[in-house]
Amino acid sequence: MVRDDLCITVPSFFRCPISLDVMKSPVSLCTGVTYDRSSIQRWLDNGNNTCPATMQVLQTTDFVPNRTLQRLIQIWSDSVTHRVDSPDSPTSTESQSLLSKDHILVAISDLHTRSDNRFNSLSKIARFAQDSEENRDFLVRTECFVPVLVGFLDNVNGGVEFLQQVVTALDLVISKMEDREGMKNLILKRQGEGEKQSVDSLLLVLQQGSHASKIASARVLKSVAVDAESKLLLAEKEGLVSELLNLITPEKDPDLIENCLSCLVSISTPRRSKMKLVRLGAVKVFSNLLSAPGLSVSVKEKVLKLVETVSSTKEGRSEICEDSACVSAIVDKVLKVSSVATEHAVTTLWSVCYLFRDQKAQEAVTKANGLTKILLLMQSNCSPQVRQMSSDLLKIFRVNSKSCLSSYDTKTTHIMPF
């Protein structure tokens, strides 16, 4: 018997886009849109050669059964019947520690239909995703699961605790998504009116979330920075770059530092992004981090990569040259961390000393015993590019050395009585 006060909401993606009824036999066209078999067959039999939802011309009129969605509809239907018949009885999911795919499909359908149970459903899904690669693949293949998560992100008023769950679940599956362009559009772009709030939610988690959810947020942001457009959108989001810089100070957790650095590396390639880093004082932050003890090799490589990135701008080079401690720290990493770190370091030194010809930078390199390191580098098995830059640097320091000697000889001649 159905209770009068029980309202059942049908998830929108269970409905056929043509009939708007719950699908009995869901099938997918080549466009990726799913319809009920009888409805789409009738559409095609009437001589249509387009996808009803997208109006794209069909390359083929063949369709394939969407078994995952059919299973999800069946599980949802059974769970609704169970809740109607026994609304106060515990579900089998609550009594089992290992979650089956059927239980997860119920949890996914609850995300659509039971706002009072979304937090618990997300917790179950996150635990399921953490268990194995196979489980993460299953979630990505489950139609509309990722769009639903992003839809929750697009509501910054959902509360930090709930948003942390959403970001954690999204981080677990986003690496499995092959369509990175589609993922970028899902998070960064809105169709029609209004402004997308997904990045606001990710920033809120970065600012107020737990240690683990901050890492997850940085990873999600990195994953959507796939082209110049997305990198700029993220870099120009008010407060985002400054928060990432706040999270890479030496006293922070190493894992958090590394993931925030990875995010910064991803979004910093456009010139405007580099300029913003410089304006926000990133060079000083990088300098402090390079000088800190106990950093992992990968963290040092990423910091040096970012220093190299900002050194490709005039303003960035100027900031580096004004910070002798930064130049000294860069010299210190040559031949000391890895070949990757050495290449980033030498490229930066080449930019400030050879291209920019900055006297302060050259003096800082000399004081840090940089000339000896360059000579050693020339004798090492370095790449041709690094060897050429080292050769250019060597010429600069030899010229400076001769100039100093010449100046010294001139002064000596003037003070001699004979």
Side-chain angles (χ1 to χ4, degrees):
M1 184 172 69
V2 178
R3 286 169 44 180
D4 292 336
D5 62 341
L6 188 63
C7 178
I8 303 299
T9 302
V10 179
S12 59
F13 69 99
F14 287 0
R15 295 184 185 276
C16 173
I18 298 175
S19 69
L20 300 182
D21 293 328
V22 175
M23 289 181 276
K24 296 177 181 177
S25 179
V27 293
S28 299
L29 291 178
C30 60
T31 58
V33 181
T34 299
Y35 302 91
D36 201 12
R37 182 186 294 270
S38 59
S39 296
I40 192 60
Q41 189 65 64
R42 192 179 306 114
W43 169 269
L44 296 172
D45 289 346
N46 287 336
N48 296 296
N49 68 341
T50 57
C51 172
T54 66
M55 296 311 295
Q56 289 178 259
V57 176
L58 298 173
Q59 300 301 315
T60 174
T61 57
D62 295 338
F63 44 72
V64 294
N66 190 328
R67 309 240 180 245
T68 300
L69 184 57
Q70 186 168 26
R71 185 176 180 80
L72 181 54
I73 292 171
Q74 184 60 53
I75 295 296
W76 168 81
S77 178
D78 292 345
S79 69
V80 167
T81 302
H82 176 76
R83 291 203 294 271
V84 170
D85 293 341
S86 311
D88 298 321
S89 63
T91 65
S92 59
T93 309
E94 295 168 349
S95 62
Q96 295 183 19
S97 58
L98 292 176
L99 298 171
S100 70
K101 291 178 181 178
D102 287 353
H103 293 143
I104 293 304
L105 290 174
V106 173
I108 293 172
S109 70
D110 281 349
L111 291 178
H112 293 267
T113 60
R114 300 183 66 189
S115 59
D116 62 323
N117 198 42
R118 282 174 180 164
F119 190 89
N120 290 335
S121 296
L122 274 174
S123 297
K124 292 172 186 175
I125 292 167
R127 292 201 307 274
F128 176 79
Q130 287 168 343
D131 282 345
S132 69
E133 292 283 332
E134 180 187 350
N135 289 355
R136 291 189 280 277
D137 286 332
F138 173 80
L139 287 171
V140 170
R141 289 196 307 270
T142 300
E143 192 164 330
C144 288
F145 170 64
V146 173
V148 167
L149 286 183
V150 176
F152 291 143
L153 269 188
D154 205 23
N155 179 14
V156 75
N157 297 319
V160 176
E161 192 174 8
F162 178 67
L163 288 174
Q164 287 182 94
Q165 286 282 2
V166 174
V167 172
T168 300
L170 190 56
D171 174 47
L172 287 166
V173 299
I174 199 169
S175 63
K176 292 292 183 180
M177 295 191 64
E178 296 179 358
D179 184 10
R180 291 302 176 90
E181 180 73 16
M183 189 67 208
K184 177 203 77 172
N185 292 334
L186 198 60
I187 289 182
L188 298 180
K189 292 185 177 180
R190 177 191 286 284
Q191 301 297 322
E193 304 262 331
E195 184 180 344
K196 201 75 169 156
Q197 290 187 310
S198 299
V199 180
D200 294 86
S201 295
L202 291 164
L203 175 56
L204 185 63
V205 172
L206 270 181
Q207 293 169 330
Q208 301 180 24
S210 66
H211 164 74
S213 64
K214 286 180 179 181
I215 290 176
S217 182
R219 286 162 57 93
V220 171
L221 287 165
K222 176 180 178 288
S223 295
V224 298
V226 296
D227 55 24
E229 180 189 27
S230 56
K231 293 170 194 284
L232 278 174
L233 281 170
L234 293 175
E236 295 184 350
K237 178 64 185 175
E238 188 65 34
L240 180 60
V241 173
S242 57
E243 186 59 33
L244 287 168
L245 290 173
N246 289 338
L247 294 173
I248 62 170
T249 51
E251 68 274 8
K252 294 292 192 299
D253 177 84
D255 288 339
L256 180 59
I257 291 174
E258 181 158 7
N259 281 281
C260 289
L261 284 170
S262 294
C263 184
L264 284 170
V265 168
S266 293
I267 68 177
S268 64
T269 50
R271 178 174 171 77
R272 275 154 58 188
S273 299
K274 298 173 189 176
M275 297 295 290
K276 184 160 190 176
L277 278 171
V278 175
R279 286 197 306 272
L280 291 173
V283 170
K284 189 64 178 176
V285 176
F286 299 153
S287 176
N288 291 338
L289 198 53
L290 281 176
S291 302
L295 297 179
S296 68
V297 169
S298 58
V299 164
K300 291 174 185 175
E301 288 175 349
K302 289 178 176 67
V303 181
L304 288 166
K305 170 63 177 174
L306 285 164
V307 175
E308 178 194 333
T309 297
V310 297
S311 76
S312 65
T313 69
K314 179 180 177 181
E315 295 78 6
R317 289 192 292 270
S318 180
E319 288 291 318
I320 293 168
C321 294
E322 289 297 321
D323 189 344
S324 59
C326 182
V327 177
S328 178
I330 295 168
V331 172
D332 181 62
K333 301 301 179 285
V334 174
L335 292 173
K336 206 172 180 181
V337 180
S338 67
S339 58
V340 171
T342 293
E343 183 161 346
H344 292 321
V346 170
T347 303
T348 302
L349 295 175
W350 182 80
S351 293
V352 296
C353 294
Y354 183 77
L355 281 184
F356 204 45
R357 303 292 173 109
D358 185 83
Q359 190 71 33
K360 291 180 181 178
Q362 292 171 5
E363 289 172 1
V365 170
T366 302
K367 287 179 182 178
N369 202 27
L371 186 55
T372 300
K373 289 225 171 182
I374 293 167
L375 288 168
L376 289 171
L377 192 58
M378 291 287 290
Q379 299 171 37
S380 69
N381 189 27
C382 60
S383 68
Q385 183 181 356
V386 171
R387 188 178 300 280
Q388 181 59 56
M389 288 188 291
S390 300
S391 176
D392 291 340
L393 286 168
L394 205 55
K395 291 173 187 175
I396 285 290
F397 287 108
R398 280 176 174 166
V399 168
N400 287 349
S401 178
K402 289 177 182 178
S403 176
C404 289
L405 285 172
S406 175
S407 175
Y408 176 77
D409 288 342
T410 302
K411 289 177 182 177
T412 304
T413 302
H414 285 318
I415 63 173
M416 289 179 68
F418 50 91

